[in-house]
């Protein structure tokens, strides 16, 4: 256990998740000598063996890997040594199989060597196998290039979107409006006819969610009234999670933290700049411990404009600067 420099890698299910092992198993945490493998009666699998989990929840993930060199595997894995078949085509066949649909029901899912042996698959002639794998490799490379290009484009569009939002919420839409210094470094110049206020001045109330001593893990119930924490704030929207919900009695006990229409929920822990606007559906939900609720005074702000302002990149950067906490940002 833990020795990495012996002759044979000794692969475990957990090694399938190591960086660099997404297809070829080339990294390992444990190894074994040939003499120890012989004394244990362990099979030494040849290079290019296809390995996969055969028991437990890992089996249901349908992960398949190819070993790079001779190795041993633990008894939660199974190895398939291919014969009379193109290696890459065999990998495709095994990846196509859903063991969850084959395994017998029970508290611990498992599949035996005999059951795997009896699985019927189609086998085209070897020349067609080669053609199929070459074609799919070609398609896979094209799709991966396309995905990378799209990811770069999405990142650029996100930057452009944030720049447009910042320009609009801090300068307005008139291109030639007269400007004045705001006195705030990150804000820069603002239109001359705009006023500058603090959030406290425009807030009817600004309140953090209940303390940890007021809301316990035992208060959460399935299918109750949602509790909104920072992980539920995405892209200016509030996305409830049924696992984070409480009973009517708990809401009544913590009624001062209930959400009303046009409240803005602000994440005060973790990634700064997460906010969500309360619509008709979210009225009556509960502000969570990791959030704070901003209720603006009527007539000061259009709620959607306030949300755009608070979710802009510059505001997130400013909140990060003023936050406290070594491992997690806190407001």
């Amino acid at each position: 256990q833990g020795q990495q420099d012996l002759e044979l890698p000794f692969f475990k299910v957990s090694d399938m998740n190591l960086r660099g092992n997404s297809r070829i198993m080339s990294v390992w945490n444990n190894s074994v000598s040939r003499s120890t493998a012989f004394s244990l009666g362990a099979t030494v699998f040849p290079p290019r063996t296809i390995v996969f989990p055969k028991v437990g929840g890992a089996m249901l993930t349908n992960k398949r890997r190819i070993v790079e060199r001779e190795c041993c595997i633990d008894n939660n894995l199974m190895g398939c040594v291919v014969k009379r078949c193109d290696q890459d085509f065999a990998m495709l066949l095994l990846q196509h199989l859903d063991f969850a649909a084959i395994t017998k029901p029970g508290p611990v899912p498992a599949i035996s060597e005999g059951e795997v042996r009896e699985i019927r698959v189609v086998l085209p002639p070897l020349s067609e196998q080669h053609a199929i794998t070459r074609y799919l490799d070609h398609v896979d490379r094209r799709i991966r290039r396309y995905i990378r290009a799209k990811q770069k484009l999405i990142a650029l569009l996100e930057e452009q979107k944030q720049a447009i939002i910042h320009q609009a919420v801090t300068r307005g839409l008139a291109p030639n409006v007269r400007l004045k210094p705001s006195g705030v470094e990150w804000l820069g110049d603002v239109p001359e006819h705009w006023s500058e206020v603090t959030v406290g001045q425009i807030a009817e109330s600004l309140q953090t969610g209940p303390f940890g001593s007021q809301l316990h893990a035992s208060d959460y119930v399935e299918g109750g009234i949602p509790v909104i924490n920072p992980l539920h704030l995405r892209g200016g929207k509030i996305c409830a999670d049924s696992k984070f919900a409480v009973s009517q009695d708990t809401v009544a006990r913590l009624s001062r933290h209930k959400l009303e229409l046009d409240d803005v929920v602000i994440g005060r822990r973790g990634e700064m700049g997460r906010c969500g606007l309360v619509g008709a559906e979210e009225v009556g939900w509960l502000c969570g411990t990791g959030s704070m609720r901003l209720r603006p005074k009527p007539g000061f702000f259009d709620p959607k404009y306030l949300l755009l302002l608070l979710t802009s990149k510059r505001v997130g950067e400013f909140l990060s600067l003023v936050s406290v906490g070594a491992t997690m940002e806190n407001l």
Side-chain angles (χ1 to χ4, degrees):
Q1 296 281 342
Q3 296 188 76
Q4 297 177 320
D5 56 353
L6 299 178
E7 296 163 86
L8 300 169
F10 188 87
F11 286 116
K12 300 187 175 189
V13 173
S14 58
D15 292 324
M16 302 179 82
N17 300 319
L18 295 177
R19 187 179 179 88
N21 284 355
S22 60
R23 176 177 169 83
I24 305 296
M25 296 282 275
S26 57
V27 184
W28 55 88
N29 286 324
N30 305 280
S31 61
V32 64
S33 67
R34 287 186 184 276
S35 60
T36 300
F38 178 77
S39 66
L40 292 172
T43 300
V44 177
F45 289 88
R48 302 288 290 169
T49 298
I50 301 172
V51 297
F52 43 86
K54 68 174 188 179
V55 66
M59 188 202 75
L60 304 180
T61 63
N62 289 313
K63 290 177 180 174
R64 314 284 186 259
R65 301 288 190 268
I66 299 173
V67 299
E68 184 179 53
R69 50 183 285 183
E70 283 188 301
C71 67
C72 293
I73 62 177
D74 82 351
N75 59 2
N76 292 316
L77 285 169
M78 189 181 298
C80 175
V81 182
V82 176
K83 64 178 182 179
R84 294 197 299 273
C85 180
D86 179 88
Q87 171 79 31
D88 293 325
F89 188 79
M91 181 70 164
L92 289 171
L93 285 177
L94 284 168
Q95 287 177 320
H96 189 65
L97 296 174
D98 180 9
F99 282 176
I102 301 168
T103 185
K104 295 184 179 70
V108 180
I111 194 163
S112 70
E113 182 183 322
E115 289 168 327
V116 175
R117 285 183 182 277
E118 294 303 313
I119 297 171
R120 299 182 69 83
V121 295
V122 292
L123 193 65
L126 199 58
S127 59
E128 287 190 53
Q129 294 176 36
H130 294 327
I132 290 169
T133 56
R134 285 197 301 270
Y135 168 72
L136 291 178
D137 282 344
H138 170 69
V139 170
D140 181 66
R141 286 194 297 271
R142 285 185 60 190
I143 290 174
R144 286 180 183 276
R145 284 198 299 269
Y146 186 70
I147 289 172
R148 286 195 295 270
K150 286 296 181 184
Q151 286 171 335
K152 289 180 181 177
L153 178 60
I154 289 169
L156 290 171
L157 289 172
E158 281 294 334
E159 282 187 31
Q160 184 184 28
K161 173 186 168 184
Q162 283 295 332
I164 291 170
I165 289 173
H166 179 72
Q167 177 74 16
V169 299
T170 61
R171 294 285 181 90
L173 303 178
N176 300 316
V177 66
R178 291 174 63 88
L179 301 175
K180 65 178 180 181
S182 67
V184 181
E185 184 178 352
W186 68 267
L187 193 55
D189 293 342
V190 297
E192 197 173 51
H193 63 289
W194 288 18
S195 57
E196 298 124 43
V197 295
T198 65
V199 171
Q201 288 174 310
I202 61 98
E204 185 175 292
S205 67
L206 180 64
Q207 182 178 19
T208 61
F211 294 120
S213 58
Q214 296 174 299
L215 185 60
H216 308 94
S218 58
D219 291 322
Y220 289 105
V221 298
E222 189 70 28
I225 296 169
V227 177
I228 304 306
N229 283 308
L231 73 159
H232 306 129
L233 305 172
R234 301 174 202 150
K237 298 185 183 300
I238 299 175
C239 306
D241 185 338
S242 60
K243 295 191 293 294
F244 294 87
V246 294
S247 66
Q248 287 279 8
D249 290 342
T250 302
V251 173
R253 176 167 59 84
L254 300 172
S255 59
R256 63 196 295 261
H257 301 286
K258 286 172 64 174
L259 301 176
E260 295 183 4
L261 187 66
D262 292 337
D263 284 351
V264 177
V265 184
I266 303 169
R268 67 181 188 91
R269 288 181 181 168
E271 181 186 342
M272 294 291 103
R274 287 178 178 244
C275 300
L277 182 63
V278 176
E281 183 183 353
E282 295 88 24
V283 170
W285 293 4
L286 208 62
C287 180
T289 302
S291 304
M292 66 175 74
R293 185 203 66 208
L294 169 61
R295 183 166 295 157
K297 294 175 183 175
F300 267 82
F301 267 101
D302 177 285
K304 292 181 179 179
Y305 172 80
L306 180 59
L307 180 72
L308 284 171
L309 184 62
L310 292 174
T311 54
S312 66
K313 184 179 178 182
R314 289 293 183 86
V315 170
E317 291 170 349
F318 170 73
L319 293 178
S320 293
L321 287 174
V322 299
S323 65
V324 296
T327 58
M328 181 185 290
E329 295 179 327
N330 280 274
L331 293 175

